[in-house]
Amino acid sequence: MPSVVEEDPEKGSCASSPLSKSDSSSNGFPAHGDASEELGVWTRVGVTPASFRRRTGGDKDNRLNQTLKNRHLQMIAIGGSIGAGLFVGSGGALNRGGPATLLLDFAIMGMMIFNVVYALGELAVMYPVSGGFYTYSTRFIDPSWGFAMGWNYVFQWAIVLPLELTVAALTVQYWGTDINIAVFITIFWVALIVVSVFGVIGYGEEEFWSSLLKLSTVIIFLFVGLIMTLGGGPSSGKFDEYWGARYFYDPGAFKNGFKGFCSVFVTAAFAFSGTELVGLAAAESANPVKNLPSAIKQVFWRITLFYILALLFVGLLVSSTDERLLGSGALLDVTTSPFVIVAKDAGLIGLDAFINTVILISVISIGLSGVYGGSRTLTALAEQGYAPSVFTYIDRAGRPLWSTVAILACGPIAYVSLSSSGVVVFEWLQALSGLAALFTWGSICLAHIRFRSAWKFNGHTVDELPFKSAFGIGGSWFGLILIVLVLIGQFYTALFPPGSDEPPSVEAFFQAYLALPVVLLFWVLGYLWKGKAWLRVSQIDVHSGMREHNWEEIKETNAKKAALPRWRKILALFF
């Protein structure tokens, strides 16, 4: 049994390991090193000058607030990453691969994400440290690879922020406004700054309400899609007669063959990006041992209900040859959204504008997620000595202050879109972040596999784990192998794009695959900086930094689960 409680020879009492400390005051705000003085409500919220002072003492592994509640984690897990990738990107994917390819690729990527999130949950319950998955790569795989993953994740979100600000400004043009997009970029950037002032609770509340809106929108679309497919639409639209699956027959279920099949995987990966944030948020939740497993199980329902079913109706109601799916070639053209197209074709007045409003909120929400994820990872890098020490600064409101400022400072890059070459610049910025999520997910799977090996090497069994991945290391191997295959498929389509007979283009290739050489460069820099490479299983420390658990209670719970009938065990994976 792992030893997480040490005997203090001087006091004759048990001293918990760092992560076992409760650091929370009765009002839900962590006291940390500031427990000796009572902080006012507005200071804890983060809106007074005193709130910006450095927090001292406390948990050396996690000085952030632990104020996220169960409802926040649930919504971050089930709706946090639903955004432009689903609402808009699915249109281009339908155009490239056809309706059956759209469903298959998203389902396959959904199975991969299911295993990734469960692996992340197992690690996060055991080691809920700030920085999450990046620190797991450093601890269980290779410190140099951890360096690469950390900086890759920071750059991914630092690039996403100006992209999302620009996309949000362009989305407003759907209503025919003539106001310069610079005005809207500024408005949305200031809005993100204001929400960021409230720290993790601002992020949690924004994610809760925006996710609730996105989920409600998808549910409304599912009902509308079913009615339209059965021919129950108004006479002013095209779905006033039985529609069925005609688009699966003409123009067909598949398009562009194997190339089209491979190309849609990347769109699916983009649509699922941000799913891993639930693991990052676990370090700032009030009770991750209880709340995180429950939140992770919601991922299954998000994949099946809010992605697969929604995309089924998209394929049924929008033709893959519809020219509106091609758009104007801008960064994001919301008129290419198949959800908007269905609303227009159905003749449902106002539904297209409502969906566009939800897309706008989703894009802004992803921008805030960028600030949250990038700042927390940058702080974790600094705490490990992989970034300047100034980024270790956490103030009394629990905000990683200078890390947050650094990510927000990337927002003005959005103004580049005002220049004539702005689209070209942003295409290259998108290339930098295009495959970043796949490397993050692959690292989570590999870290889980390595953790299980080290856990066994140290004489422990799976039954000792407080939360276990649904399909164990088999699921992580499945996820890792699938990610490698997707990367190979993307390499192929980067050389030979679907629907094109042109010879390979160097520029097109690097726009599709630039993330790989960037990650490899970070890996080399990490090795040159720290001089540490692949860890042997015997070198992996599975005990330090572990959360204190009631192992007797865990054994009793596991025994009860083992006695359940098979059908109950299966249900327990998803509820």
Side-chain angles (χ1 to χ4, degrees):
M1 197 68 63
S3 175
V4 294
V5 180
E6 301 174 351
E7 186 76 16
D8 189 323
E10 296 182 4
K11 299 180 180 180
S13 61
C14 289
S16 300
S17 65
L19 284 180
S20 68
K21 295 177 183 175
S22 174
D23 297 328
S24 294
S25 61
S26 60
N27 55 22
F29 289 89
H32 293 276
D34 301 313
S36 59
E37 55 179 299
E38 289 295 329
L39 300 180
V41 172
W42 295 112
T43 297
R44 296 196 300 269
V45 170
V47 294
T48 66
S51 69
F52 292 92
R53 296 176 185 168
R54 181 189 286 271
R55 170 172 283 171
T56 58
D59 186 341
K60 70 180 180 64
D61 291 292
N62 183 11
R63 289 196 176 97
L64 301 172
N65 278 354
Q66 286 93 51
T67 48
L68 284 180
K69 296 179 174 61
N70 182 44
R71 64 182 178 89
H72 296 133
L73 279 185
Q74 295 284 345
M75 280 301 180
I76 291 172
I78 199 171
S81 66
I82 294 178
L86 173 65
F87 290 127
V88 182
S90 57
L94 176 64
N95 177 261
R96 293 192 304 274
T101 293
L102 186 67
L103 279 177
L104 285 173
D105 283 18
F106 269 79
I108 292 171
M109 291 300 287
M111 288 188 287
M112 182 272 293
I113 282 293
F114 180 83
N115 287 288
V116 168
V117 175
Y118 258 93
L120 177 59
E122 182 177 310
L123 294 172
V125 169
M126 287 291 287
Y127 311 99
V129 295
S130 60
F133 28 84
Y134 140 69
T135 58
Y136 302 142
S137 293
T138 300
R139 181 169 186 164
F140 300 119
I141 303 175
D142 171 359
S144 300
W145 183 250
F147 174 93
M149 287 298 94
W151 277 108
N152 177 64
Y153 201 69
V154 170
F155 271 88
Q156 173 191 346
W157 286 120
I159 291 168
V160 162
L161 177 60
L163 284 172
E164 298 301 325
L165 288 174
T166 303
V167 166
L170 291 173
T171 302
V172 178
Q173 293 184 336
Y174 179 83
W175 289 282
T177 178
D178 294 327
I179 301 174
N180 192 298
I181 66 168
V183 174
F184 294 106
I185 289 174
T186 304
I187 291 172
F188 297 139
W189 184 45
V190 171
L192 292 182
I193 292 173
V194 171
V195 176
S196 297
V197 166
F198 295 95
V200 67
I201 199 63
Y203 168 71
E205 287 298 331
E206 183 279 333
E207 281 297 291
F208 177 81
W209 293 108
S210 64
S211 295
L212 191 61
L213 175 62
K214 289 183 284 186
L215 297 179
S216 301
T217 302
V218 174
I219 291 172
I220 291 171
F221 178 80
L222 293 180
F223 281 108
V224 170
L226 177 61
I227 294 170
M228 298 303 110
T229 302
L230 297 177
S235 57
S236 58
K238 64 188 290 187
F239 303 119
D240 59 344
E241 61 179 15
Y242 179 76
W243 198 257
R246 63 183 68 185
Y247 286 146
F248 276 74
Y249 297 97
D250 182 20
F254 297 93
K255 188 177 178 183
N256 291 320
F258 184 67
K259 288 183 182 179
F261 183 79
C262 291
S263 68
V264 174
F265 275 121
V266 178
T267 302
F270 174 70
F272 285 119
S273 293
T275 304
E276 70 285 346
L277 283 171
V278 67
L280 199 65
E284 297 183 71
S285 65
N287 189 355
V289 177
K290 178 182 178 182
N291 297 337
L292 184 59
S294 175
I296 282 173
K297 292 176 183 180
Q298 305 306 314
V299 172
F300 169 79
W301 297 108
R302 188 188 75 197
I303 293 169
T304 54
L305 292 179
F306 302 115
Y307 278 86
I308 305 304
L309 284 182
L311 293 175
L312 171 62
F313 287 117
V314 164
L316 290 172
L317 299 173
V318 181
S319 171
S320 61
T321 58
D322 194 317
E323 293 186 358
R324 290 173 293 179
L325 295 174
L326 299 176
S328 61
L331 286 173
L332 180 139
D333 184 352
V334 292
T335 61
T336 67
S337 167
F339 293 80
V340 173
I341 290 174
V342 169
K344 281 187 171 182
D345 289 349
L348 299 174
I349 300 173
L351 181 60
D352 57 328
F354 171 73
I355 292 176
N356 190 66
T357 302
V358 175
I359 293 172
L360 173 61
I361 293 172
S362 301
V363 168
I364 298 172
S365 174
I366 295 297
L368 184 62
S369 295
V371 177
Y372 177 81
S375 63
R376 270 59 181 179
T377 306
L378 182 55
T379 296
L381 283 166
E383 290 172 345
Q384 295 287 329
Y386 287 163
S389 60
V390 66
F391 295 118
T392 63
Y393 190 103
I394 296 175
D395 64 22
R396 291 185 175 189
R399 297 167 300 205
L401 187 61
W402 296 118
S403 297
T404 302
V405 170
I407 301 299
L408 284 170
C410 296
I413 297 175
Y415 295 114
V416 172
S417 61
L418 301 176
S419 69
S420 57
S421 58
V423 173
V424 176
V425 172
F426 272 84
E427 284 176 349
W428 283 101
L429 288 177
Q430 283 180 308
L432 282 171
S433 61
L435 299 176
L438 290 171
F439 291 107
T440 297
W441 298 335
S443 296
I444 291 171
C445 290
L446 183 56
H448 178 242
I449 293 167
R450 299 275 290 161
F451 160 71
R452 283 288 189 94
S453 298
W455 188 250
K456 182 179 180 180
F457 179 84
N458 281 272
H460 302 301
T461 66
V462 176
D463 291 334
E464 297 174 35
L465 299 175
F467 176 71
K468 294 185 284 291
S469 175
F471 298 106
I473 59 172
S476 292
W477 274 116
F478 171 82
L480 181 60
I481 292 171
L482 185 58
I483 289 168
V484 172
L485 292 176
V486 170
L487 288 172
I488 293 172
Q490 176 64 2
F491 184 88
Y492 171 65
T493 56
L495 288 174
F496 307 102
S500 173
D501 296 324
E502 298 293 325
S505 164
V506 174
E507 181 179 356
F509 173 80
F510 278 106
Q511 281 189 350
Y513 224 74
L514 186 59
L516 177 61
V518 170
V519 167
L520 294 178
L521 175 62
F522 278 132
W523 193 7
V524 172
L525 290 176
Y527 179 77
L528 294 176
W529 189 345
K530 293 295 182 179
K532 296 179 181 179
W534 181 265
L535 296 173
R536 296 190 298 273
V537 173
S538 59
Q539 295 176 298
I540 297 176
D541 175 18
V542 297
H543 293 141
S544 65
M546 186 189 300
R547 175 181 292 278
E548 182 181 12
H549 297 286
N550 187 331
W551 297 103
E552 292 303 321
E553 182 180 335
I554 290 171
K555 287 175 64 177
E556 182 180 343
T557 301
N558 288 339
K560 290 180 180 179
K561 290 180 180 179
L564 291 174
R566 182 178 295 274
W567 67 272
R568 287 287 303 278
K569 292 178 181 178
I570 295 173
L571 285 178
L573 297 176
F574 309 110
F575 292 97

